[in-house]
Amino acid sequence: GAGVSQTPSNKVTEKGKYVELRCDPISGHTALYWYRQSLGQGPEFLIYFQGTGAADDSGLPNDRFFAVRPEGSVSTLKIQRTERGDSAVYLCASSEGTAGANVLTFGAGSRLTVL
Amino acid sequence: AQSVTQPDIHITVSEGASLELRCNYSYGATPYLFWYVQSPGQGLQLLLKYFSGDTLVQGIKGFEAEFKRSQSSFNLRKPSVHWSDAAEYFCAVEGTGGFKTIFGAGTRLFVKA
C-alpha cells in the first residue's frame, strides 16, 4: 500500500481480555517494527522483524506480548490478559531493511485503552 | 546498547526566532542518527538523517542538524521558526550492527506569536 496501515485505530477493552493489533506495512518493505508510546513519552521499542522472523524482540515487556509476521508482510501484535498499564498508542513502522540508516515510515497508531 | 537523551522536555520560542533542540546519544561506534517530528494528530515523520560524511545535514521544512562526535550530540536547528513548527520532536539512533532504532523521550516545541 501507499503507507503503513494500522487497525483498529482505537481499541477499548477490559482488564484481562485478549487484544490483537494489526499492521499492514508498505509493500516491499522487508523490515517491520512495533513501538509503544505512552502519553508524554517517546516511542518505546518492542520488536522488529526482518521478513518473517523476529530479528530482535528484546523490547517486549513480558510473555503476555507476542507478535507474528507469518508471510513477511502483515504483522499482528497480540496482548494476552491485558492490564491497565498496557494502555498506550501502539505504533507500527516499516522500512526497506537495507543496511545503514534505516528510515522508518510510521502508521497512525492503534490507541489501546484497558479499563 | 544505544540510548538517546533529549534534555529538554519542552521549549517555547517566539515565531521568527531561531531554534535549537538538543540530543545526546550513547553508542560505542558512530551511529546512524535521525530526527522525527510528530504533529498533533499526525504520525511520526522523518525530518533528516545522518549516515556518514558531512556532519551538517539538511532536512525538510528548513531544519538542519549537526553531528558532533566529540560531544556525542546531534542537535536540531532552524534559523526562523514558524507557528506550524509547533510539534513534538524526537531524536533517534540506529546502531550500525542492526536495524534497531531507539528514540529519545522527545522535546515538545511551543511557538508563541
Side-chain angles (χ1 to χ4, degrees):
Chain A
V4 178
S5 176
Q6 292 189 246
T7 54
S9 56
N10 273 287
K11 176 71 176 179
V12 180
T13 191
E14 293 179 343
K15 179 176 178 297
K17 298 291 189 183
Y18 170 80
V19 165
E20 287 190 353
L21 306 176
R22 174 188 166 107
C23 174
D24 199 342
I26 290 174
S27 179
H29 276 191
T30 60
L32 184 147
Y33 300 74
W34 284 100
Y35 289 85
R36 178 169 69 176
Q37 188 174 24
S38 301
L39 194 62
Q41 301 294 316
E44 174 194 5
F45 172 82
L46 297 177
I47 185 172
Y48 92 88
F49 292 85
Q50 254 313 14
T52 60
D56 188 329
D57 64 358
S58 61
L60 294 177
N62 51 59
D63 61 6
R64 296 187 297 106
F65 289 75
F66 190 71
V68 296
R69 194 186 185 198
E71 297 177 356
S73 56
V74 171
S75 175
T76 304
L77 179 66
K78 308 181 180 195
I79 310 173
Q80 298 177 320
R81 304 182 305 279
T82 52
E83 300 177 356
R84 292 194 180 88
D86 299 335
S87 296
V89 176
Y90 288 82
L91 298 171
C92 177
S94 69
S95 74
E96 293 179 354
T98 52
N102 218 17
V103 175
L104 304 182
T105 302
F106 282 85
S110 292
R111 181 177 298 278
L112 174 65
T113 303
V114 182
L115 301 177
Chain B
Q2 66 266 43
S3 66
V4 179
T5 301
Q6 293 181 247
D8 304 305
I9 297 173
H10 55 80
I11 282 182
T12 300
V13 299
S14 298
E15 190 168 19
S18 64
L19 169 70
E20 182 169 27
L21 301 182
R22 296 184 291 164
C23 171
N24 292 97
Y25 69 88
S26 173
Y27 187 66
T30 300
Y32 303 121
L33 296 160
F34 307 82
W35 277 97
Y36 287 81
V37 61
Q38 188 173 39
S39 299
Q42 303 290 316
L44 282 147
Q45 179 185 18
L46 180 74
L47 278 178
L48 48 78
K49 58 186 183 286
Y50 170 77
F51 293 1
S52 64
D54 192 347
T55 56
L56 184 64
V57 294
Q58 303 296 322
I60 62 172
K61 304 182 182 184
F63 285 92
E64 66 178 27
E66 186 172 11
F67 169 59
K68 292 186 177 180
R69 185 193 308 274
S70 62
Q71 298 176 19
S72 298
S73 69
F74 188 57
N75 294 349
L76 181 71
R77 302 194 293 250
K78 186 170 184 177
S80 177
V81 168
H82 187 263
W83 64 267
S84 61
D85 293 326
E88 185 129 29
Y89 292 80
F90 295 96
C91 183
V93 58
E94 176 197 335
T96 52
F99 302 120
K100 181 175 175 179
T101 301
I102 300 299
F103 287 78
T107 297
R108 181 165 292 279
L109 173 65
F110 297 95
V111 180
K112 59 182 181 181

